[in-house]
Amino acid sequence: MTQYAFTPPPVPSVAINNSDRRFAVRRIHCVGQNYAAHAREMGSNPERETPFFFSKPTDAVVDSGSEIPYPQLTQNFHFEIELVVAIGKGGADISVDDALAHIYGYGVGIDFTRRDLQQAAKKIGRPWDWGKGCDHGAPCSPIHTLDDTGPLSEGRIWLAVNGEIKQDANLSDLIWPVADIIAFCSSALRLEPGDLIYTGTPAGVGPVVVGDKITGGIDRLGEIEVSIVD
Ligand code: MN
């Protein structure tokens, strides 16, 4: 048996709706600017360009109900509500037509972002990692299985801060739907069971402060809630 120099870190995981089992997370892939109105608010051209991807650290995933410590190095910590796709069957170069067969289920996630660090990195052509990779920065609701929900191509997606609606859109507004995202992502990296894909956020992103209660939801997937703490 392998002997480790110290106790290995716990396996990052998210809850599964109506199950005692948890979804072990291998990687977190994220899509940039997948709603036209959000691409515009980020100063980009929302034409249907090839989608682009970035990653968040796997151990950034936390459950709904978590307290998110306001992270270091930022004065502009932003929420981004997103549909999360949980991969249940691996593959490379997955076709759009075959994509559904690779989905385990869906969740409601928040891609928390140190916007000031991201913008500064963007401006000088450096990696976004520290903008997107903060601790506790990828909360996700319990995963609802594809068997329970059916394929999701439309439905309200929303986020509120202290009860005030900040983001309110529809999954049908996705520039690249889930099947296309799976096809693109798997053309660059082999997807494996345990991968999560955060599929991009609609318009209305904005900052949070210590004490804020963040709630969000997607039709058929229930809600997520987290609070920002010192
Ligand atoms: Mn995002």
Side-chain angles (χ1 to χ4, degrees):
M1 212 171 99
T2 308
Q3 299 284 309
Y4 295 100
F6 50 87
T7 306
V11 175
S13 65
V14 287
I16 297 172
N17 192 49
N18 292 329
S19 174
D20 293 334
R21 298 185 179 189
R22 292 180 64 83
F23 184 88
V25 179
R26 187 189 78 120
R27 289 186 184 174
I28 303 177
H29 312 280
C30 304
V31 184
Q33 300 178 1
N34 201 15
Y35 292 79
H38 173 64
R40 271 186 231 109
E41 79 181 351
M42 289 290 108
S44 297
N45 180 344
E47 293 310 310
R48 210 164 186 256
E49 291 168 2
T50 306
F52 66 94
F53 293 82
F54 58 91
S55 297
K56 287 167 89 82
T58 303
D59 67 354
V61 77
V62 294
D63 283 321
S64 178
S66 293
E67 294 187 330
I68 312 281
Y70 195 95
Q72 296 139 287
L73 280 186
T74 184
Q75 269 83 51
N76 197 19
F77 191 43
H78 274 206
F79 54 79
E80 298 189 354
I81 191 78
E82 309 202 358
L83 171 67
V84 177
V85 178
I87 297 295
K89 179 185 157 199
D93 294 318
I94 297 165
S95 71
V96 171
D97 289 342
D98 197 31
L100 199 62
H102 294 263
I103 298 175
Y104 177 84
Y106 305 94
V108 184
I110 304 174
D111 169 16
F112 275 109
T113 302
R114 291 188 282 198
R115 190 73 70 201
D116 39 5
L117 295 190
Q118 184 201 24
Q119 301 288 31
K122 246 187 209 178
K123 203 174 289 176
I124 55 176
R126 287 189 182 162
W128 295 7
D129 296 39
W130 282 7
K132 290 294 191 178
C134 62
D135 298 335
H136 313 277
C140 187
S141 77
I143 303 293
H144 290 241
T145 63
L146 180 66
D147 288 346
D148 284 350
T149 62
L152 292 188
S153 55
E154 52 86 31
R156 185 181 179 219
I157 175 170
W158 61 273
L159 178 141
V161 178
N162 304 321
E164 187 185 329
I165 294 286
K166 301 289 188 182
Q167 295 185 277
D168 198 351
N170 197 290
L171 297 179
S172 60
D173 300 333
L174 281 165
I175 296 173
W176 295 99
V178 167
D180 294 74
I181 291 302
I182 289 172
F184 271 112
C185 195
S186 70
S187 75
L189 301 167
R190 187 182 169 81
L191 294 175
E192 296 289 357
D195 286 0
L196 296 178
I197 306 176
Y198 284 59
T199 57
T201 197
V205 300
V208 296
V209 296
V210 171
D212 280 348
K213 302 260 183 258
I214 320 298
T215 50
I218 296 175
D219 286 353
R220 289 191 272 172
L221 297 181
E223 297 189 4
I224 186 171
E225 62 163 13
V226 295
S227 53
I228 309 298
V229 300
D230 209 357

